[in-house]
Amino acid sequence: MTTAAEDIVDNLLAQHQQIKTLFAQVAAAQGPHKEELFHELVGLLAVHESVEESLVHPLAEDKLPDGEDVVPPRLAEEQEAKEELAKLYDLGVDHPDFDLRLTMLRDAVTAHAEAEEEFEFSRLREVVDADRLEKLTASMRAVSAMSPTRPHPNVPPKASANLLLGPPLAVFDRVRDALRDATKGA
């Protein structure tokens, strides 16, 4: 049962929509604006996956009767997306293969999001108390603040790895982002 207050599922669903919108905006943009939008997409995907790996997937594994069967494919999809996103980041938006690879990543991420929505999110609402899902929104904000802003495919997709390695990587990423942004005007 859904309450009037937003819960973690509402927030993740909203991010799924935002991710789809950003994919479309990146595909349509050109030049520096395209790069700017792509960096926004990279940051959102990195934070989003950290939240899911730290909070949602462990909850689904624990609470869903078939959680141990549902979650591993989602983690594998996230790992593949991180690897491709890192490759795209290294290629840059001006590379001739960028648009095709972005389209392939968009399709994979969209299919992944739909699977999460069907096999995890909707079912979590059936088995987890609404108050707990609402309270996880605060945890989501905390994890988001400590999450890297770039994909790190070498970090295992586990809550413990995200909690241990996420904060130092987040600091490193945010410094790199600040330096990148500062040198744009130079």
Side-chain angles (χ1 to χ4, degrees):
M1 178 176 195
T2 306
T3 63
E6 283 193 351
D7 63 23
I8 191 167
V9 173
D10 294 322
N11 283 282
L12 292 173
L13 290 170
Q15 284 184 353
H16 281 181
Q17 287 305 95
Q18 188 179 3
I19 288 165
K20 290 175 188 175
T21 299
L22 276 169
F23 267 115
Q25 290 174 336
V26 172
Q30 294 181 358
H33 186 57
K34 182 174 192 149
E35 184 176 9
E36 200 175 290
L37 289 168
F38 179 64
H39 286 212
E40 186 178 339
L41 175 65
V42 168
L44 178 57
L45 282 169
V47 170
H48 179 82
E49 296 308 336
S50 290
V51 168
E52 289 179 343
E53 291 170 4
S54 299
L55 300 171
V56 177
H57 297 322
L59 183 64
E61 276 186 316
D62 182 49
K63 297 296 183 186
L64 297 178
D66 59 347
E68 291 183 8
D69 296 324
V70 168
V71 172
R74 301 301 75 77
L75 292 173
E77 293 160 1
E78 289 169 6
Q79 185 62 29
E80 289 172 15
K82 282 182 200 176
E83 291 169 7
E84 184 57 28
L85 195 59
K87 290 175 188 172
L88 271 173
Y89 192 91
D90 290 343
L91 278 180
V93 298
D94 295 327
H95 192 279
D97 294 337
F98 180 86
D99 289 331
L100 175 62
R101 292 178 77 164
L102 180 73
T103 299
M104 293 171 30
L105 177 63
R106 179 205 64 208
D107 294 346
V109 168
T110 299
H112 166 77
E114 290 169 359
E116 283 178 333
E117 291 170 14
E118 179 181 350
F119 298 118
E120 285 184 81
F121 297 177
S122 63
R123 294 177 62 215
L124 280 172
R125 284 205 166 124
E126 295 169 5
V127 298
V128 177
D129 181 72
D131 287 342
R132 182 165 183 203
L133 291 176
E134 288 174 24
K135 289 176 183 168
L136 282 171
T137 301
S139 299
M140 179 181 178
R141 284 191 289 274
V143 169
S144 295
M146 297 185 303
S147 292
T149 60
R150 295 183 185 180
H152 292 276
N154 295 330
V155 175
K158 298 180 183 290
S160 58
N162 278 302
L163 294 172
L164 179 66
L165 300 173
L169 288 171
V171 170
F172 181 72
D173 286 353
R174 284 172 171 79
V175 168
R176 285 196 323 185
D177 294 345
L179 290 173
R180 176 198 67 218
D181 294 346
T183 60
K184 278 186 184 175

